Every structure is written in C-alpha cells, then in structure tokens.
Amino acid sequence: MPTIPQHIEDAGGPTGERPSRLRRIVRWALSLAHAGVLYLGHRVPLFRRGRRLVEPPAPPDLERDVVDGPSRVLRASAGVGPLYHRRYRLAVTDSHLQPEEVMARIRDDLNCAVPAQMARFESPDPAERGPMPVEVGREYVVHLPGPWNGPVRVVEADDSSFTLVTLEGHVEAGQITFRVLPHERYDWVVFEIESFARCASRLFDLLYHRLPLASEAQLHMWASFCERVVDLAGGVVMTSVEVDTHTYEVDAPTGGDPGERYRTTGSVSPRARRALDQIHDLPLNFDLEGPPPSAETGWQIDDWCQPLPAEPPGEPVAGGAFEVCRQLMADYEFADPAIVRAIYHADQPLEDRDMLLEARFYGLRFLLALRVGGVRDETTEVDGRRVQIWGWNYRTLQGHLETGQMDYEVWKWLDTGAVEFRIHAFSRPAHIANPIVRLGMALFGRTMQRRFARHALSRMAALVDECLAEAARGADHPPEMLTRGRVRTAEEAGVELRSA
C-alpha cells in the first residue's frame, strides 16, 4: 500500500521473490493496524438500511455460465451461511464527466478508486506491474489487510458497468457489480456497487456474520470506494453513501438423484460437482509397479471385518445378507455421510468409475479424488475353505492427501453360511504443500482413518439389518434396499445380483 513503507508493503520484493513467513506476518500486522487507525480516524457518512425479508427480491442467476468456464469459480451456492445482497449508492450533481466517462476512468485503472489503506487490485502474475484495465476474462488478486487476499475474475463489462466473480481462495463466494448511471429523477450521476455473496468458510462466517469485524471493514472499504469515485467525477455530493442490505436464507445444496447426471451419497457442494468433471485425466499418486505394500516398505496396512447376518450354507441367497451388502457397497452407502460423502457420474459403470469424496472435519471440507481399480467376483479357497467374494477397490489420484488403495469386499463362507463385510487398505501420507493441512494430517489423519472404518463397518451392519427387516415385512419385489432414506430395487441401482 502506498501509505505503508514500500519494503514492508511490497509482497514480492524488488526482485519478485517470495517473502519470508516472518516478513509476511509483519506486513499483515502492520497493514491491519494501519487500516484500523485510518478507519477510526475517517468514518464515511453512511445511511444504512438493514433488511431481513421473508421473501426478498430474487437475486440474479448466480449459477450462470461465465467467461473461461466454471474452473476455479467460487459460486455463492458453495458458500456458508446466508446470502447477503448489499448495495452501496452515492449521487453527485454538477459532475464534470458523463456516467460513461466516469466508468471509463475506473475501468482504465481500478486502483484509482480503491482506498489504498484497505485494498488494491493486482495481477496474479508478479511480473505484471502497473495499471491493468478492466477487461472480460482478466483476473485480479485483491490484496486486503491481513492474510485474506482474494482472487476475482471479470465476467461482464460494458460502458456503464462491470461484474467480478470470486475464485477459489477468496473469503467470499459470489459476485460484485460496479455501475454508473443517471439518477432516475434528477440530473445527477449515481455510482452504485451491488454484491451477492456468502462467506466462503465457517471461519469467515464467524468473523463476518457472528462478529461485526469483517462486515464493518468491508462496508467501510466500499463506502470509501464510492467517495473516491466522486473525486474522479468532480461535482457536489447530494447524498450520504446509502447502504441497503437484504439477507437471503439459503438451503444447503441437495444431493444427486439416480435420474440425474450425478449420483451422491449425501448433499455435496457445487465445488465438488465441478471438481468431479476435472479428475478424469489425473494420474495415480503412487506407483502400482513398486514393491508390494508392506510395513517394511513404509505402508500402513489395515484389515477390518464386520460379521453380518448369516445365511444357509451354499451359494448366496436371493435377497440375503450377501446380496444386500453387495448392493450397498456398489452405491458406497456404507460410508458415514457425517465423515465423507461421495459423488460420481450416474452413467459410469462401477469398474470404470471416477469418484470424488468430500471429507468433512470440524467444518472444513477436503476434496479427495479416486479411481476404481477393479471389481472382484469369484469363488476361491481360503485356508482350505470355499468362500464367495464380491468387491471393488479405489485408488488415490494426484492431489489426494494420502496415497494407496482401499478394498471393500463381502465374503460368504460356503461351508457355514457366515457373511462378512471386509475392508483392506494400504496407505501412507502424500506430499502436502500446505503446512497447516500437513500438520493436521500428521495430528489427526490416522484417527480419522480409523474413525471412517469403524463407522463404515457399523453402518453397513445397521443398513443390512434394516434392509432384511424391510424384506421380512412383506416386500413385493425383493431384494429391496433402503438407500438415501427410501426403498430402491437392485434393478434401479443397476447391479446384477446372483441368485441361488
């Protein structure tokens, strides 16, 4: 920021090198303190109207297609908490410029109107310096006091307005529009900023929605922006900065349906849906041709087994525990949705399936890319006993927090009729660039692995019992499965079951 010493303010340094962590912390602390002092010393006159309407006016289409596609776009539906509609408005008379001329000046250099103590717009490329005109498709990084820099993209622009959408990494999810227009009644120039956004994370929701810190700083920043536009336009201010706020209560994103493009095991974010379409070409993040997995070669080997209701000896029984378990495995219904939720394409056969898991950890969401490595369907001998086995595995892809493979299988011992749900896994930590995530995995990764397995085993047992009880109550078309809170037949799920 120009008002902060350049050797502290310049995040890239004179040669563009990345500053040290200590230097960044010092810069954050100084910028926050500086912004706070200026905020207390200069309060923009505001006329606030806060509204929490039961049926507020409908927002624009926040899910519409945008320039350069959906890659990295952080939609409002992927955010947390209520959707805020804010409008900042200021009117000027006797301006030296027409509305289009005012907008042309802003579009030539956004930073000419940005309050320097609060923010600045820069290129994601450190080598690109100087003014960057507003053009459709251009991306900026909005540098804010503290560590909350926000990437944005210009998706619409004309002579009187332009719109930015937030990208992944921003503290908000949504869009903001800047416009200049003539007043509806008087010969005034009106400048307006209108945003539709939700908090991008639970942490920022706490700072923004529960505590007045971030929301007050944001309001002051855009009110100051309006003041600086008046300086550009010249003339006399006719109103205080008017701030209108509407609050929309937004339902959580809903999960997929068998008739739709995606199949999910619970509601997942639009970010997960978008990411699924981008993992098809990702490679595995470990070498399948390497030494066999073992503790000696650095792998964590796990085996879990959950007994299920027994069947008569011999081949699996139609509608019995083996077939019910097989169906639930094919749909990944045994995974506890409080821990992890899966999304995959509904028309992909199991053996060719790419899957994306949305792992949940105390309000955080991690996207984990996987690929099915094979389906097993055979009768074999184990320790001299014949056993029928059906199962499948998935393997970790590039970007996953771990490397390895998990096998899910249902076994029926043909001599006794005992049925078991089994999980076999080999894994080890992947390279994680983010030091906070790396520390979190070191502290909690193994605990979460075990928790996932324990819940998967107990959930499978409970679902199998429930499905068998449903069939015992006189179902007309066994075997029927209770999945996603309703009864589904095996034919609906698209899995061929073997009858005795």
Side-chain angles (χ1 to χ4, degrees):
M1 306 174 195
T3 52
I4 296 177
Q6 187 66 27
H7 70 281
I8 294 175
E9 186 276 335
D10 188 359
T15 60
E17 74 275 5
R18 183 175 176 81
S20 68
R21 182 174 301 174
L22 176 61
R23 186 179 174 191
R24 293 199 305 273
I25 293 173
V26 169
R27 174 180 174 269
W28 294 341
L30 287 175
S31 63
L32 283 169
H34 186 247
V37 169
L38 290 176
Y39 169 71
L40 294 174
H42 175 64
R43 300 288 297 273
V44 179
L46 300 175
F47 177 57
R48 309 189 190 203
R49 288 192 293 264
R51 304 176 183 178
R52 192 177 184 88
L53 304 181
V54 177
E55 294 184 2
D61 181 9
L62 301 178
E63 300 296 318
R64 68 190 185 281
D65 292 336
V66 296
V67 63
D68 292 339
S71 175
R72 298 171 43 242
V73 173
L74 193 57
R75 306 281 191 180
S77 55
V80 174
L83 174 69
Y84 286 97
H85 168 215
R86 277 225 168 105
R87 187 178 66 172
Y88 308 81
R89 185 179 171 95
L90 186 62
V92 183
T93 189
D94 296 333
S95 171
H96 305 311
L97 304 175
Q98 294 299 313
E100 293 77 10
E101 294 174 310
V102 176
M103 179 54 64
R105 290 218 179 165
I106 299 172
R107 288 189 55 181
D108 283 343
D109 182 11
L110 257 178
N111 289 316
C112 71
V114 174
Q117 75 275 16
M118 297 296 293
R120 73 181 184 280
F121 287 74
E122 291 189 352
S123 170
D125 182 2
E128 188 175 358
R129 301 274 180 161
M132 294 176 296
V134 173
E135 300 170 348
V136 173
R138 180 181 289 278
E139 295 187 3
Y140 300 92
V141 175
V142 187
H143 288 268
L144 302 169
W148 300 296
N149 296 337
V152 296
R153 180 188 300 161
V154 182
V155 295
E156 296 168 3
D158 56 33
D159 291 341
S160 60
S161 68
F162 62 90
T163 298
L164 312 176
V165 297
T166 56
L167 304 180
E168 291 179 1
H170 203 287
V171 294
E172 289 191 296
Q175 71 173 44
I176 186 168
T177 299
F178 302 79
R179 62 174 66 94
V180 181
L181 62 158
H183 193 275
E184 56 270 17
R185 294 181 58 188
Y186 306 110
D187 187 22
W188 299 348
V189 173
V190 176
F191 178 70
E192 188 174 274
I193 302 174
E194 185 177 37
S195 66
F196 293 87
R198 302 171 72 194
C199 297
S201 68
R202 295 188 185 277
L203 173 61
F204 194 70
D205 180 58
L206 175 66
L207 296 174
Y208 188 94
H209 183 51
R210 310 299 177 187
L211 303 175
L213 302 177
S215 59
E216 193 66 21
Q218 182 190 65
L219 186 147
H220 176 68
M221 181 178 75
W222 293 128
S224 299
F225 192 105
C226 293
E227 274 196 335
R228 292 173 67 89
V229 170
V230 172
D231 294 339
L232 291 175
V236 180
V237 175
M238 298 305 296
T239 64
S240 299
V241 178
E242 300 175 3
V243 183
D244 255 325
T245 302
H246 296 104
T247 304
Y248 301 77
E249 295 299 337
V250 181
D251 294 332
T254 57
D257 182 87
E260 296 179 349
R261 179 183 177 189
Y262 301 108
R263 183 80 52 78
T264 71
T265 59
S267 62
V268 297
S269 66
R271 175 169 164 252
R273 295 171 186 264
R274 293 194 302 272
L276 176 65
D277 293 326
Q278 300 171 14
I279 69 173
H280 180 70
D281 295 325
L282 288 180
L284 300 182
N285 62 357
F286 66 101
D287 184 9
L288 278 177
E289 305 302 324
S294 67
E296 290 73 21
T297 55
W299 294 94
Q300 179 72 51
I301 309 297
D302 291 301
D303 285 284
W304 291 281
C305 180
Q306 172 65 50
L308 299 176
E311 297 180 0
E315 294 290 320
V317 177
F322 182 92
E323 290 190 350
V324 170
C325 180
R326 175 177 173 171
Q327 181 64 68
L328 294 166
M329 286 169 55
D331 285 346
Y332 202 66
E333 289 293 333
F334 56 86
D336 185 347
I339 300 175
V340 66
R341 302 179 183 187
I343 179 170
Y344 53 91
H345 289 107
D347 59 354
Q348 266 189 328
L350 176 59
E351 59 271 16
D352 298 324
R353 183 178 297 171
D354 290 331
M355 292 179 62
L356 194 80
L357 304 186
E358 188 173 69
R360 296 165 172 248
F361 181 75
Y362 291 102
L364 302 176
R365 303 289 185 267
F366 299 95
L367 300 185
L368 310 175
L370 304 161
R371 180 168 298 132
V372 173
V375 176
R376 182 183 186 186
D377 186 7
E378 64 178 354
T379 301
T380 186
E381 286 194 5
V382 177
D383 296 332
R385 300 173 59 194
R386 288 178 57 77
V387 59
Q388 176 74 39
I389 301 175
W390 187 89
W392 58 280
N393 68 67
Y394 56 50
R395 296 163 179 164
T396 55
L397 301 181
Q398 189 178 77
H400 200 290
L401 300 179
E402 296 179 308
T403 66
Q405 175 176 309
M406 292 194 80
D407 294 75
Y408 303 103
E409 296 177 344
V410 55
W411 290 28
K412 179 176 180 180
W413 298 96
L414 302 184
D415 55 350
T416 64
V419 179
E420 299 166 344
F421 172 52
R422 292 179 171 239
I423 301 177
H424 170 76
F426 60 89
S427 64
R428 57 189 177 192
H431 172 71
I432 303 173
N434 188 310
I436 297 177
V437 177
R438 186 165 63 247
L439 176 61
M441 281 295 295
L443 294 176
F444 304 108
R446 183 61 180 158
T447 299
M448 292 306 297
Q449 268 187 338
R450 291 171 174 165
R451 181 168 175 248
F452 168 81
R454 287 198 309 270
H455 283 237
L457 297 175
S458 60
R459 179 176 168 85
M460 177 63 85
L463 287 173
V464 170
D465 287 343
E466 191 176 2
C467 291
L468 294 178
E470 177 72 15
R473 285 195 289 267
D476 294 331
H477 41 279
E480 286 190 326
M481 316 301 173
L482 293 175
T483 61
R484 301 186 183 89
R486 69 185 187 91
V487 177
R488 289 181 63 218
T489 65
E491 289 73 18
E492 287 177 321
V495 174
E496 180 183 358
L497 301 180
R498 178 181 299 178
S499 300

